Amino acid sequence: MNIPSRYIEEAVEQMASLPGVGKKTALRLVLHLLKQEESDVKRFSDAFTRMKKEVKTCSSCGNISDGEICEICLNPRRDHSVICVVEDLRDIMAIEATSSFKGIYHVLGGIISPMEGIGPSDLNIPSLLEKARTGEVHEIILALNATMEGDTTNFYLYKKLKEFPVIISTLSRGVAVGSELHYADELTLSRSIMNRMPYESNLK
C-alpha cells in the first residue's frame, strides 16, 4: 500500500493493529479522521487516553470498573451468595443482557490453554477459592465457553471447589458445543442460565 505521508502511514499501522481491522479499513478510518475538525479528533483520542488511565479492575470480582468495586458487586439487590464464573468482560455483558441472572460474577481473566501457555496460575482462581471457603457462597455457576479449553477449565475448577460446601453448577447445553458464550443469542443464553444443571451430571 503506497501511502504518500509517513504520518498517515503510521496512523494506518496503529489502526490496523486492532483486532479485525485490515489495512484497507484502517486507511478508510484514518482518512475519515483526517477530514474531521482537530477538536473532534482530540476528543476521539482523549476518550481512549482517559479509558486507559481511569478504568480499573474490580478488587472483588475482576470485572472492569470506574471505581475500586464495580456496580454489580456494590448492588445490594444482587444475590451475593450466587457467583457466576466467566472468562472475561464480554461474557458478563452477554449474561447481563438477558436479565436472567441476579447474582454476582467472578472473572477468571482467561481459560486454561496449554497451547497458548496459559495455566491455572495465570488465572484469577485463588480469590474464587477463598470466596468458597468463607461459607457465605451458596452456589457457583461455571459459565465458561463450551470448548475444549473451557471444559478443561471447568473440570479444574470443579476439582478445586468440590471440597467446599457449595453447589457447583454449569450452563445447560443450550449454548452450542464449540461456541463462545458472548456469541450466543440472548434467549438461548437466558435458557441456559435458568436451566443450569449440577456440574456432576456432565461427568456421567
Side-chain angles (χ1 to χ4, degrees):
M1 187 180 294
N2 187 16
I3 300 176
S5 166
R6 65 185 178 91
Y7 300 110
I8 293 179
E9 185 174 6
E10 182 180 352
V12 169
E13 288 293 333
Q14 293 301 315
M15 194 72 78
S17 69
L18 297 172
V21 179
K23 284 289 184 69
K24 289 185 178 179
T25 299
L27 177 59
R28 179 166 54 83
L29 294 172
V30 167
L31 293 179
H32 172 77
L33 289 172
L34 186 62
K35 295 176 183 178
Q36 305 307 301
E37 296 291 335
E38 184 175 345
S39 59
D40 293 333
V41 177
K42 187 175 186 307
R43 277 196 299 273
F44 182 83
S45 62
D46 285 350
F48 293 100
T49 301
R50 286 195 302 273
M51 174 190 71
K52 185 62 180 176
K53 182 179 179 181
E54 301 295 340
V55 172
K56 301 174 177 63
T57 299
C58 175
S59 61
S60 179
C61 73
N63 190 11
I64 62 170
S65 174
D66 291 344
E68 290 300 320
I69 305 293
C70 73
E71 293 182 358
I72 293 175
C73 287
L74 286 173
N75 190 341
R77 293 188 295 275
R78 307 289 295 223
D79 184 352
H80 287 242
S81 71
V82 180
I83 297 177
C84 184
V85 180
V86 297
E87 179 181 347
D88 59 30
L89 166 69
R90 295 173 299 174
D91 298 329
I92 292 180
M93 294 174 66
I95 294 173
E96 285 296 288
T98 69
S99 300
S100 298
F101 180 66
K102 303 304 180 184
I104 59 174
Y105 296 92
H106 182 89
V107 182
L108 290 179
I111 50 178
I112 297 172
S113 178
M115 293 291 291
E116 297 182 14
I118 302 173
S121 62
D122 300 306
L123 306 179
N124 183 23
I125 294 176
S127 60
L128 175 64
L129 301 181
E130 185 57 37
K131 291 172 184 175
R133 187 177 289 111
T134 64
E136 298 176 0
V137 177
H138 171 68
E139 180 183 6
I140 293 178
I141 306 168
L142 303 178
L144 302 178
N145 294 331
T147 61
M148 182 181 297
E149 293 81 5
D151 287 343
T152 298
T153 309
N154 277 339
F155 185 61
Y156 178 87
L157 293 174
Y158 169 73
K159 289 194 298 182
K160 291 292 185 179
L161 290 167
K162 66 179 181 178
E163 64 182 90
F164 302 112
V166 296
I167 295 172
I168 305 170
S169 60
T170 187
L171 301 183
S172 70
R173 286 305 187 184
V175 178
V177 174
S179 66
E180 296 187 12
L181 195 68
H182 54 269
Y183 289 136
D185 65 87
E186 292 180 13
L187 180 58
T188 298
L189 185 53
S190 177
R191 286 175 175 170
S192 294
I193 294 168
M194 299 302 291
N195 298 324
R196 60 185 181 271
M197 61 186 73
Y199 182 81
E200 290 91 335
S201 63
N202 287 340
L203 304 178
K204 296 178 181 178

